[in-house]
């Protein structure tokens, strides 16, 4: 967490190691690391579960509990092979086979091991599984509550969508064109929160159209 693979230092070790070490020192303490299985880098989707990393702040003997949207892995006291299998189960299916091959090549995973249910760990499958709970209100955007107002919650969804939609040059051009001809905003509260209720120059006008288009695309029925 403190340096990049090419050696650039981005921070000190900070409190991460201390929290993990304390969880192992306290009676019945556990260290839980929660993260998304993938991350976006421009137009690319990358796995947040890599085979290795050049600067790993937490040593292997302090690995404990890892959580992604696909499940939970209890790694404390696990062998290297058990750890590999548990982490592969948390990985997006698009990256499981390549990671398993690296583990097998490094003699950390039995070559007879086959990944199971490759279609399970995908965003579309997860969305389908959770859809009934989203529809009946049991799984709102913020199950434990938040400090965002209603219009801010709509903006969070809209701006997140807009970032993904404009990640590539083609996507940016297409989104801008659709926004320009998409009409004015139908969410005056959200536009006012962004300071775009009244625009006085071309740049602000385009920004307002983009935000309005994103709000329309992410509006909930």
């Amino acid at each position: 967490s403190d340096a990049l693979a090419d050696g650039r230092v981005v921070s000190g070790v900070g409190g991460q190691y201390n929290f993990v070490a304390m969880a192992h020192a306290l009676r019945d303490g556990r260290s839980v690391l929660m993260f998304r299985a993938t991350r976006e880098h421009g137009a690319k989707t990358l796995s947040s579960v890599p085979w290795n990393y050049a600067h790993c702040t937490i040593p292997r003997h302090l690995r404990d509990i890892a959580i992604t949207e696909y499940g939970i892995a209890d790694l404390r006291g696990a062998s290297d092979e058990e750890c590999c299998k548990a982490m592969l189960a948390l990985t997006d299916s698009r990256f499981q086979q390549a990671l398993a091959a690296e583990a097998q090549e490094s003699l950390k995973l039995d070559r007879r091991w086959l990944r199971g249910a490759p279609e399970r760990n995908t965003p579309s499958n997860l969305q389908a599984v959770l859809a009934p709970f989203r529809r009946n209100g049991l799984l709102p955007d913020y199950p434990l509550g938040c400090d965002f107002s209603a219009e801010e919650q709509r903006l969070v969804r809209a701006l997140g969508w807009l970032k993904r939609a404009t990640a590539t040059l083609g996507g940016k051009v297409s989104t801008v064109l659709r926004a320009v001809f998409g009409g004015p905003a139908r969410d005056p509260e959200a536009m006012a929160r962004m300071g775009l209720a009244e625009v006085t120059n071309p740049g602000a006008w385009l920004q307002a159209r983009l935000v309005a288009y994103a709000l329309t695309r992410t509006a909930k029925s």
Side-chain angles (χ1 to χ4, degrees):
S1 65
D2 58 312
L4 303 180
D6 61 8
R8 285 180 292 168
V9 177
V10 296
S11 73
V13 173
Q16 183 191 46
Y17 171 82
N18 303 90
F19 277 115
V20 173
M22 181 171 59
H24 284 257
L26 293 172
R27 182 180 300 175
D28 298 328
R30 301 301 300 264
S31 167
V32 181
L33 300 180
M34 185 167 64
F35 54 96
R36 293 183 182 274
T38 61
R39 60 188 177 87
E40 304 298 327
H41 182 69
K44 294 182 179 180
T45 300
L46 305 176
S47 175
S48 297
V49 182
W51 167 240
N52 59 13
Y53 188 70
H55 298 276
C56 193
T57 306
I58 306 303
R60 62 196 297 274
H61 69 279
L62 293 182
R63 59 194 181 201
D64 203 343
I65 294 176
I67 301 176
T68 73
E69 62 269 36
Y70 298 121
I72 302 172
D74 190 344
L75 309 174
R76 183 179 286 198
S79 67
D80 286 353
E81 184 172 41
E82 291 169 338
C83 181
C84 287
K85 291 178 179 178
M87 291 305 295
L88 283 168
L90 301 186
T91 304
D92 189 288
S93 294
R94 291 167 288 181
F95 305 97
Q96 283 180 346
Q97 196 62 39
L99 286 171
E102 290 188 86
Q104 289 166 335
E105 187 66 25
S106 300
L107 304 181
K108 293 293 186 179
L109 184 63
D110 194 314
R111 291 191 180 276
R112 294 170 296 180
W113 182 88
L114 298 175
R115 64 175 182 172
E119 74 284 353
R120 287 183 56 187
N121 289 8
T122 63
S124 58
N125 184 65
L126 185 64
Q127 186 177 17
V129 170
L130 298 179
F133 306 102
R134 298 282 285 174
R135 285 194 297 266
N136 64 20
L138 288 177
L139 189 61
D141 288 343
Y142 301 95
L144 302 180
C146 69
D147 293 327
F148 292 128
S149 64
E151 59 268 17
E152 287 171 341
Q153 292 184 42
R154 297 195 296 274
L155 284 166
V156 167
R157 290 194 300 271
L159 296 177
W161 178 90
L162 189 60
K163 180 180 179 180
R164 294 188 298 272
T166 57
T168 64
L169 178 60
K172 187 175 296 184
V173 172
S174 174
T175 303
V176 168
L177 290 175
R178 292 174 185 272
V180 167
F181 296 102
R186 298 182 179 88
D187 193 336
E189 295 86 0
M191 298 300 289
R193 181 66 182 84
M194 290 291 293
L196 297 172
E198 297 182 6
V199 294
T200 57
N201 60 74
W205 179 86
L206 179 58
Q207 186 178 6
R209 283 301 178 102
L210 285 167
V211 173
Y213 179 60
L215 285 165
T216 301
R217 287 295 305 265
T218 58
K220 291 186 174 182
S221 59

